[in-house]
Amino acid sequence: MSNVPSLEQLHAIGARQQPTYDDPAALAAAVERLRTLPPLVFAGECDELKEKIAAASRGEAFILQGGDCAETFADATADNTRNKLRVLLQMAVVLTYAASVPVVKIGRLAGQYAKPRSSDTETRDGVTLPAYRGDAVNGYDFTPESRIPDPQRLLEVYHHSASTLNLVRAFTTGGYADLRQVHAWNSEFVRNSPAGARYEAMAGEIERALTFMQAIGADPDEFHRVDFYSSHEALIMEYEHAMTRIDSRTESPYNVSGHFVWIGERTRNLDGAHVEYFRSIRNPIGCKLGPSATADDALALAARLNPENEPGRLTFITRFGADKVRDGLPGLVEKVTAEGVDVAWICDPMHGNTFSASTGYKTRRFEDVLDEVRGFFEVHRGLGTVPGGILVENTGDDVTEVIGGGEELDEHGLAHRYESVVDPRLNRVQSLEMAFQVAEFLSAR
């Protein structure tokens, strides 16, 4: 494949966070089958998204990326997909009005089935088994049979992703994303939710704007359909490599498993297999940067991943934590900007704010998540640079995984409906609260 290292070369370089499969022949068969399957996304769509991310890096658009921390096969249903899409569309309407620029809508869905882990194993009651690495690799149940990495799951990832994308495309072009309908959902949230009451003024402004547009007969196609893109952390080398194809138009390689793929904090080592693979594909790509990342790290990654300094090609997704963002982020942004590196900056306010509750649940505080976003905006405002977007782990369901917010969920309430298999997500109400709060930051920038 043109310019793309082989799987053997990537593994020889050293790929972190990879499962160990017991049956190499079964793995090879699954990979070969994946290579024959149709693309899930198309190169032209990836190029369109790249242009929109470039606009966000200039302040001419704003990126909203959201969805599950880790999708599961069991939850890849029509209802769950609709609910995730609905809350992202609701958030996007609020952000669009506040920013007065288009909102680029990217879902963490149709591919987010693998997760890096801090340990290769998990021990419970003296029993040690392989860690759960997402449904792409093994099962969540704590049994020896469930935790064995199974290459057939890679094929299941493809088929579940295909069905999810088909449903998303139907929703976003078939009337479900109609602007007035989405605003009606937000009005219901404001009217019926104690958490939403404080945002009544902004909801009223949006209502007046829509009424004015209707009065003058403005009814563009954009009122009735939206562009929506898929994304995931491209973690498992076998899956991502098998889903890499040469585009017939440009004769360039694209990862056709998602429009936007990213490198995680644990796999961004400059001499590693993930960076080597990512530099060969033409998708818009992201790279996570946490508190350990230095400005020189960021510059080296940019030089490796985007040597031509192509606008929209590279996004840095920062995840510092609310207590570190104001100290750690400025140095990165300032030096990268001074060197003329063309990059979009997105805030991931979730991963740096995770802790274990007294009740044993892995959780986050809504106020910490919000404060990291606030700090992200403050840093960019102070430097005169562009806050390009946010990435949140959220769901359209009424789960109880993140404490705080207008619902005032406490640690004891987590047990009520804690459904995530990996990381805690904002629920529907918290997601909309986040959108209205970020809208205030956008209005002030």
Side-chain angles (χ1 to χ4, degrees):
M1 195 181 299
S2 176
N3 300 321
V4 180
S6 68
L7 269 174
E8 291 74 19
Q9 289 172 320
L10 291 171
H11 283 300
I13 292 169
R16 295 179 178 177
Q17 294 287 333
Q18 301 301 293
T20 301
Y21 292 101
D22 293 336
D23 189 342
L27 177 61
V31 169
E32 287 309 307
R33 176 60 181 143
L34 281 170
R35 294 195 193 281
T36 69
L37 296 174
L40 294 175
V41 304
F42 300 100
E45 297 171 337
C46 297
D47 291 342
E48 290 172 5
L49 177 58
K50 191 184 299 181
E51 293 177 2
K52 293 177 180 181
I53 293 174
S57 72
R58 298 188 298 267
E60 299 165 9
F62 189 77
I63 298 166
L64 171 63
Q65 187 177 0
D68 273 318
C69 62
E71 294 177 278
T72 64
F73 298 152
D75 286 337
T77 65
D79 285 347
N80 282 337
T81 300
R82 183 193 63 229
N83 290 345
K84 289 180 212 173
L85 180 62
R86 171 173 165 163
V87 77
L88 288 172
L89 292 175
Q90 288 182 258
M91 295 175 73
V93 167
V94 175
L95 296 175
T96 302
Y97 180 80
S100 297
V101 296
V103 169
V104 184
K105 294 165 276 292
I106 306 176
R108 283 176 60 110
L109 82 174
Q112 187 57 32
Y113 286 101
K115 291 291 289 184
R117 305 314 302 264
S118 56
S119 173
D120 289 336
T121 60
E122 179 183 356
T123 301
R124 298 186 193 177
D125 300 324
V127 177
T128 300
L129 295 176
Y132 171 66
R133 291 187 173 274
D135 276 15
V137 177
N138 53 5
Y140 182 70
D141 291 341
F142 194 73
T143 65
E145 298 77 16
S146 174
R147 292 298 176 91
I148 296 174
D150 180 2
Q152 286 300 306
R153 286 176 170 271
L154 299 177
L155 292 168
E156 288 195 62
V157 168
Y158 174 90
H159 292 299
H160 281 90
S161 297
S163 63
T164 298
L165 281 172
N166 286 340
L167 193 58
V168 167
R169 289 185 175 112
F171 279 137
T172 54
T173 61
Y176 188 77
D178 185 274
L179 180 59
R180 296 201 68 86
Q181 173 64 58
V182 176
H183 174 63
W185 293 331
N186 278 344
S187 297
E188 181 183 1
F189 161 72
V190 169
R191 187 170 55 250
N192 298 329
S193 166
R198 62 176 293 188
Y199 310 116
E200 184 176 1
M202 183 177 293
E205 292 175 15
I206 298 173
E207 176 66 31
R208 286 190 291 275
L210 289 174
T211 302
F212 172 75
M213 296 292 286
Q214 185 176 29
I216 63 174
D219 191 34
D221 183 54
E222 288 78 9
F223 275 23
H224 307 287
R225 59 175 299 279
V226 298
D227 292 327
F228 194 88
Y229 301 95
S230 67
S231 70
H232 64 272
E233 180 179 353
L235 184 63
I236 307 301
M237 283 284 103
E238 275 74 14
Y239 182 77
E240 307 302 337
H241 197 277
M243 292 302 297
T244 305
R245 312 289 163 75
I246 301 299
D247 175 45
S248 58
R249 300 173 306 121
T250 62
E251 298 185 353
S252 297
Y254 285 78
N255 183 322
V256 295
S257 69
H259 298 103
F260 177 87
V261 288
W262 74 84
I263 305 172
E265 171 77 354
R266 293 185 176 99
T267 53
R268 62 170 170 80
N269 51 310
L270 197 62
D271 58 351
H274 288 85
V275 169
E276 185 65 22
Y277 166 74
F278 269 72
R279 64 193 292 259
S280 71
I281 58 173
R282 298 311 307 154
N283 302 58
I285 60 173
C287 184
K288 291 284 190 82
L289 299 176
S292 66
T294 66
D296 287 339
D297 291 336
L299 289 172
L301 284 163
R304 195 75 179 273
L305 295 168
N306 190 22
E308 298 175 2
N309 208 24
E310 179 186 3
R313 156 74 174 166
L314 178 61
T315 298
F316 282 144
I317 306 167
T318 61
R319 39 157 294 178
F320 280 82
D323 59 338
K324 296 183 178 71
V325 64
R326 292 170 178 85
D327 294 327
L329 183 59
L332 266 67
V333 176
E334 193 168 23
K335 191 164 185 177
V336 167
T337 303
E339 292 294 326
V341 174
D342 201 314
V343 64
W345 295 95
I346 289 181
C347 175
D348 166 6
M350 308 297 293
H351 287 90
N353 295 303
T354 307
F355 68 97
S356 293
S358 60
T359 52
Y361 287 95
K362 190 177 182 181
T363 190
R364 293 152 174 159
R365 291 185 183 87
F366 178 84
E367 289 71 22
D368 291 342
V369 172
L370 181 63
D371 190 48
E372 179 158 1
V373 179
R374 183 184 293 110
F376 174 78
F377 273 86
E378 289 172 0
V379 168
H380 282 284
R381 190 177 297 120
L383 295 174
T385 50
V386 177
I390 59 170
L391 185 163
V392 293
E393 290 184 334
N394 70 338
T395 175
D397 298 323
D398 295 322
V399 299
T400 54
E401 297 170 3
V402 173
I403 62 175
E407 297 175 304
E408 299 181 351
L409 179 70
D410 62 20
E411 293 189 8
H412 296 286
L414 293 172
H416 177 64
R417 192 178 170 186
Y418 195 103
E419 297 178 3
S420 175
V421 295
V422 182
D423 289 336
R425 304 160 296 174
L426 301 175
N427 62 27
R428 178 181 60 89
V429 170
Q430 290 168 333
S431 297
L432 294 174
E433 282 189 83
M434 176 65 64
F436 278 101
Q437 292 273 5
V438 174
E440 295 179 1
F441 304 155
L442 284 167
S443 300
R445 70 173 178 172

